[in-house]
C-alpha cells in the first residue's frame, strides 16, 4: 500500500520592511491618480472640471510624495 504525500504549500512571501512599505504607498497613490486622470470622463466630475485641470492639480499636490516614482499620465509637476 502506497501513501500519497500531499504537495507542500508554497511558503508565504516575506513581508517587506517598513522602509519598503513607505515606498510602496506613494507608488500606489500615484498609480491611482494616473488612473483617475486617464479615465476622468468616467471616474471624475467632467461636467464641472476638465481632465487637464485635474491632471495639473494632482501633479502639483502629489509632487512632494517621498520616493522617485512618477506616473507618466500625470503632468510633470511644476515647482513654482
Amino acid at each position: 500500500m502506497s501513501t500519497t504525500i500531499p504537495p507542500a504549500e508554497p511558503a508565504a512571501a516575506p513581508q517587506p520592511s517598513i522602509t519598503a512599505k513607505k515606498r510602496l504607498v506613494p507608488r500606489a497613490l500615484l498609480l491611482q491618480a494616473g488612473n483617475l486622470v486617464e479615465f476622468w470622463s468616467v471616474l471624475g466630475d467632467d461636467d464641472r472640471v476638465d481632465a487637464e485641470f485635474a491632471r495639473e492639480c494632482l501633479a502639483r499636490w502629489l509632487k512632494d510624495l517621498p520616493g522617485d516614482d512618477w506616473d507618466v499620465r500625470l503632468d510633470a509637476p511644476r515647482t513654482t
Side-chain angles (χ1 to χ4, degrees), residues 1-79:
M1 179 171 161
S2 68
T3 304
T4 305
I5 300 173
E9 292 186 24
Q15 288 292 314
S17 68
I18 296 296
T19 302
K21 288 179 183 181
K22 287 180 179 179
R23 284 192 306 261
L24 294 172
V25 172
R27 181 182 298 165
L29 181 57
L30 286 166
L31 175 67
Q32 292 306 319
N35 290 340
L36 178 59
V37 166
E38 182 175 357
F39 300 104
W40 185 258
S41 64
V42 177
L43 300 172
D45 188 353
D46 66 338
D47 292 336
R48 296 182 290 176
V49 177
D50 63 88
E52 187 56 34
F53 182 79
R55 175 180 323 207
E56 290 172 7
C57 288
L58 288 167
R60 188 175 334 107
W61 296 335
L62 299 176
K63 70 178 174 54
D64 292 326
L65 285 174
D68 54 4
D69 294 307
W70 193 254
D71 193 298
V72 296
R73 296 171 293 179
L74 298 172
D75 289 341
R78 293 182 183 158
T79 56

